[in-house]
Amino acid sequence: MGTILAIREPTYKLSAMNSLPVLLVDSPSDIVFLDSDNSILRRQTWGSATIGRTPTPHTSAEAWRASGVTHFRAKRWLAAAVCFSNGIKLDPNEFILRLNRSEVYIRMGWYKSAFQDAEKVLLAGNNVDDVYLRKAVFRAAKSLYHLGEYNMAIDMANRRQRDDECQTWYTKASDRLHEQLSGEYDWNSLFQQSQASFEQVEMAEFTGPVQVRDVNGVGGGRGIFVNRDVKAGELLMVSKAIATGSGNPQHDQSTTFINCITNDVLPTRTAAMRSQLIERLWEDSRVDLIVQALYAGSDCPPPSSYQPLPTLDNSKLLEHPLRPSTDIDITRLDRACTFNGIGLDPIKSIIARSKNDFDPELDCVSGIFSLPSLCNHSCLPSAHWSSFGKFICIRANRNLRKDDEVTIQYFSVHASFENRTQNALHWGFTCHCVLCEMDRADGEKACKEREEALSLLRQDFDVDYDDGVMQRALKLADDVRRTYRDHEKRGQCNVKPARFIAHDYLAALYTERILTEGIQFFKPSIEEGMKAIEAVGVVILDKSISGKVNCESSLPIDTTRGPTHMKDECLRAVLHIVVKFYTLGELRRAELWLKTAVYLEDIHIGGGWQLFQSRHHMLLQEIGLTKFARFIFS
């Protein structure tokens, strides 16, 4: 209380509701705490000002330390950091204050500044008691680990080889360094971590065979390309979110500052993400280089070129926790969040997604990233992402040749062509992928008829089975099929999302007939399931249902590509084919199609059978495949 603030270039206006005058502050960095050391106030001329009573500041470093400890115990991290900083200002050589502030910065997630404080204590060397040097090593190693500086963290922790707590960071940093260099991860363990806590997932970033290049005709003017041939499922990059936000308070870290920047205009997730990004910018000026390199719409200057961040040695020190490390361009930050936010769809089992314990509005988190944000959109993407906590993992969706572009989906593409077009316009572009070009060639009338047929089909989804339901489904599925015209572009891609829904529903109806009318409906149910899988881009090489297996030594599908979308739905369709072959006694076919299910999951998420059974053990149990699957993969 009593602290004097200077507000840079405020806007004076009347509020819309009650005509009271207000001062609008454009950016957090426009709020200046008035003191003689703040460079932004130098050479400013002032008129007269009436200053009321202000608190008497402490006059000793020890008094500031005592106040800081009080705030620390109450978990008022920013207040504690301010007190310790004021004490350091009075006595720059007071290493206990620096150690205290280092710990506070760790609690705030300001790891760069935490490391720099611990490092200053270590540089004092012989002038510091060993117990304090040990704390400095521990906090420096922990900070370096969270900064992704694993080599430095290993070297730091090795200064205390007999200290178990320091060696914890040595072990963790060694594990992360291996991941970073090799791209090899324990995907099953990461899945388990992500189920326990969004914040708990620990993994290293990884950049595979990709590079950024200029691209004409897209908003950011850049794209990501592979620099060698890659196989379907190969890991291309792992990236950690710079900031995240969700509709679930449990996912959002408590903010360092009071979140007074949230308003009704921004969605909850975007507002929380922006607030967290401001905190990152406040402490680490290097984050501003990432923001400036992101596309922020046509109303903002073009993005700067993408480049690696400066090293810690070349990064700017945070002089005081109340003074930001950089001037925050709030307009660009807002626009960057709008155009680059990626939904981190949590990995769940298929059963969890279909039941009430999964609420996408609460569980889905938005994140803003550096390298992945440079991937351009395609409704038929060359890559697919999955997320583990705050990390996004991008894998090739099909075999790629050197210089092929890495594209991802910005939005759901099993929606109507009209909705996809509107979504693309919202992002500021028009999609010219093969699927969109084919839909344009089909014509507006055909696309409208397709959606009308699907709408009628969906009306029967929850209706009890009878002959009328089956006849309507057969007719509507045929109506959907007719809306896909035969033309030259159609030969480039056989993806027909609406047909997946129709054939998948027919497969389920035939399954109902099996239960009531007999095994003669196994064959049409399997055939409809295969048609559904083909409609999302899977090429089936062996469609046989009985007799000799045509692909005895390989999977019954083309393994150079995976489904373009509706991946969980496709996986469920494959597993239902497995059940039917297993029930018919076609055990070899059941085995090959089960391996197909594991393969399709593996090229999108990784982890092979181990992760597959962890993720889908309840589904395998529900459909009666648990023992068979364990026998096949034992």
Side-chain angles (χ1 to χ4, degrees):
M1 293 177 63
T3 301
I4 302 171
L5 306 180
I7 301 176
R8 182 173 57 174
E9 298 180 353
T11 302
Y12 179 80
K13 62 182 289 185
L14 297 179
S15 64
M17 298 298 295
N18 51 21
S19 297
L20 292 175
V22 297
L23 289 178
L24 176 65
V25 184
D26 293 318
S27 173
S29 58
D30 287 342
I31 301 174
V32 181
F33 290 79
L34 192 59
D35 63 56
S36 59
D37 291 340
N38 203 308
S39 60
I40 204 170
L41 298 180
R42 294 171 189 162
R43 296 181 298 279
Q44 298 292 329
T45 57
W46 301 84
S48 61
T50 300
I51 300 176
R53 296 178 60 187
T54 60
T56 302
H58 297 307
T59 57
S60 70
E62 177 57 30
W64 279 117
R65 189 192 71 81
S67 291
V69 169
T70 299
H71 287 301
F72 181 87
R73 288 172 177 168
K75 298 183 179 180
R76 295 188 290 265
W77 310 128
L78 181 60
V82 170
C83 290
F84 295 143
S85 298
N86 290 344
I88 291 170
K89 181 179 177 181
L90 294 176
D91 185 359
N93 297 318
E94 179 52 75
F95 60 84
I96 295 179
L97 283 169
R98 288 199 179 276
L99 281 176
N100 289 347
R101 191 172 69 173
S102 177
E103 179 61 28
V104 172
Y105 282 159
I106 287 175
R107 304 298 178 95
M108 296 166 69
W110 288 4
Y111 298 111
K112 181 177 74 71
S113 298
F115 165 70
Q116 289 168 336
D117 269 345
E119 186 181 41
K120 284 186 179 294
V121 175
L122 292 172
L123 290 175
N126 296 330
N127 297 323
V128 182
D129 289 343
D130 187 69
V131 64
Y132 296 118
L133 287 175
R134 181 260 171 200
K135 289 183 178 180
V137 169
F138 176 81
R139 289 169 192 172
K142 183 176 183 179
S143 300
L144 289 166
Y145 173 83
H146 285 290
L147 287 167
E149 300 287 351
Y150 303 121
N151 275 317
M152 294 176 65
I154 290 169
D155 292 341
M156 182 63 64
N158 263 337
R159 297 190 185 190
R160 295 276 167 162
Q161 294 186 11
R162 296 182 180 180
D163 187 301
D164 291 341
E165 287 187 313
C166 289
Q167 287 304 295
T168 295
W169 297 107
Y170 171 87
T171 302
K172 284 189 172 186
S174 298
D175 291 342
R176 299 292 85 76
L177 183 62
H178 174 75
E179 293 170 350
Q180 189 177 70
L181 296 176
S182 67
E184 297 173 355
Y185 298 82
D186 185 344
W187 298 106
N188 188 46
S189 175
L190 292 170
F191 172 71
Q192 302 296 342
Q193 291 176 36
S194 69
Q195 302 308 290
S197 169
F198 176 77
E199 298 290 340
Q200 189 173 323
V201 178
E202 295 187 60
M203 60 191 302
E205 293 190 298
F206 168 76
T207 302
V210 297
Q211 59 184 174
V212 179
R213 297 182 190 171
D214 293 337
V215 177
N216 294 325
V218 296
R222 293 86 43 89
I224 294 182
F225 297 79
V226 293
N227 53 28
R228 61 169 172 80
D229 292 353
V230 301
K231 296 288 187 181
E234 184 169 347
L235 187 64
L236 301 179
M237 65 188 86
V238 175
S239 181
K240 185 178 182 180
I242 309 163
T244 60
S246 78
N248 188 344
Q250 294 180 352
H251 285 172
D252 295 323
Q253 291 179 325
S254 57
T255 53
T256 298
F257 308 116
I258 296 174
N259 190 3
C260 57
I261 62 169
T262 302
N263 55 54
D264 293 335
V265 176
L266 290 173
T268 304
R269 288 197 293 267
T270 304
M273 181 169 64
R274 181 179 77 160
S275 181
Q276 195 176 111
L277 183 56
I278 286 172
E279 292 183 25
R280 292 290 313 277
L281 283 164
W282 193 278
E283 186 258 346
D284 192 346
S285 60
R286 299 179 303 167
V287 177
D288 191 48
L289 298 177
I290 298 175
V291 174
Q292 296 300 323
L294 297 178
Y295 178 66
S298 57
D299 295 335
C300 289
S304 60
S305 60
Y306 175 82
Q307 54 188 345
L309 294 182
T311 63
L312 290 175
D313 293 338
N314 296 326
S315 63
K316 182 180 176 182
L317 288 170
L318 182 69
E319 297 177 358
H320 192 282
L322 295 182
R323 292 198 291 273
S325 65
T326 187
D327 207 9
I328 299 173
D329 184 345
I330 198 69
T331 300
R332 185 174 193 93
L333 183 146
D334 277 344
R335 303 282 284 177
C337 286
T338 298
F339 282 96
N340 297 280
I342 296 177
L344 303 182
D345 193 17
I347 296 176
K348 300 280 187 179
S349 70
I350 295 177
I351 285 183
R353 288 187 176 278
S354 63
K355 294 185 178 180
N356 294 330
D357 57 349
F358 174 70
D359 185 345
E361 287 302 314
L362 288 179
D363 286 8
C364 188
V365 178
S366 292
I368 186 168
F369 297 82
S370 177
L371 195 59
S373 294
L374 305 187
C375 291
N376 291 312
H377 167 82
S378 173
C379 297
L380 294 178
S382 63
H384 165 78
W385 86 74
S386 58
S387 57
F388 295 82
K390 290 187 175 184
F391 291 83
I392 189 172
C393 309
I394 298 181
R395 296 176 178 273
N397 197 47
R398 58 177 182 263
N399 285 4
L400 299 176
R401 302 293 300 273
K402 181 181 178 182
D403 299 325
D404 282 349
E405 185 174 5
V406 178
T407 55
I408 59 176
Q409 293 172 349
Y410 286 6
F411 44 79
S412 175
V413 299
H414 59 269
S416 67
F417 173 61
E418 180 181 3
N419 287 341
R420 297 203 319 271
T421 301
Q422 292 300 317
N423 282 330
L425 291 175
H426 169 75
W427 289 87
F429 66 88
T430 299
C431 184
H432 294 286
C433 73
V434 176
L435 180 60
C436 287
E437 289 300 310
M438 289 190 298
D439 283 344
R440 290 189 186 96
D442 288 338
E444 182 178 347
K445 182 175 181 292
C447 290
K448 185 176 181 181
E449 291 173 350
R450 183 182 305 157
E451 292 309 309
E452 289 175 350
L454 277 181
S455 178
L456 292 172
L457 193 69
R458 289 188 176 102
Q459 291 178 16
D460 279 344
F461 279 7
D462 295 324
V463 175
D464 291 337
Y465 170 79
D466 60 32
D467 288 341
V469 170
M470 174 61 81
Q471 293 307 313
R472 285 195 301 274
L474 288 169
K475 178 185 180 303
L476 291 170
D478 191 55
D479 290 343
V480 169
R481 179 187 61 79
R482 293 173 186 274
T483 65
Y484 287 101
R485 315 297 191 202
D486 290 327
H487 44 71
E488 183 179 353
K489 283 188 176 294
R490 185 67 68 194
Q492 300 178 31
C493 172
N494 198 35
V495 175
K496 303 171 182 176
R499 291 196 65 179
F500 174 88
I501 298 172
H503 290 299
D504 189 52
Y505 180 51
L506 281 174
L509 291 181
Y510 278 119
T511 300
E512 291 286 337
R513 297 192 72 172
I514 292 171
L515 297 175
T516 58
E517 301 178 44
I519 64 172
Q520 66 268 28
F521 294 104
F522 269 112
K523 183 174 184 291
S525 181
I526 294 173
E527 290 173 340
E528 292 297 333
M530 290 183 180
K531 290 177 182 178
I533 295 165
E534 287 183 308
V536 290
V538 176
V539 177
I540 300 177
L541 304 177
D542 184 1
K543 299 180 184 179
S544 65
I545 296 175
S546 60
K548 182 181 178 181
V549 176
N550 296 331
C551 299
E552 183 67 38
S553 60
S554 60
L555 298 183
I557 66 167
D558 179 359
T559 56
T560 65
R561 65 183 64 204
T564 55
H565 53 286
M566 301 182 78
K567 299 170 185 66
D568 281 348
E569 293 88 342
C570 179
L571 180 63
R572 181 187 280 274
V574 172
L575 287 175
H576 280 294
I577 290 175
V578 177
V579 171
K580 295 178 179 70
F581 278 133
Y582 180 73
T583 305
L584 288 171
E586 294 282 347
L587 298 186
R588 180 55 179 163
R589 284 186 170 83
E591 176 185 346
L592 291 174
W593 279 96
L594 179 60
K595 290 180 177 179
T596 296
V598 175
Y599 168 77
L600 292 177
E601 173 116 329
D602 193 42
I603 65 172
H604 290 130
I605 299 177
W609 163 245
Q610 188 176 23
L611 176 55
F612 187 93
Q613 68 170 341
S614 293
R615 187 181 177 213
H616 301 302
H617 67 278
M618 291 179 63
L619 177 59
L620 291 172
Q621 184 175 3
E622 182 181 273
I623 61 180
L625 285 178
T626 301
K627 290 184 179 179
F628 178 68
R630 287 177 179 171
F631 173 77
I632 295 301
F633 291 101
S634 62

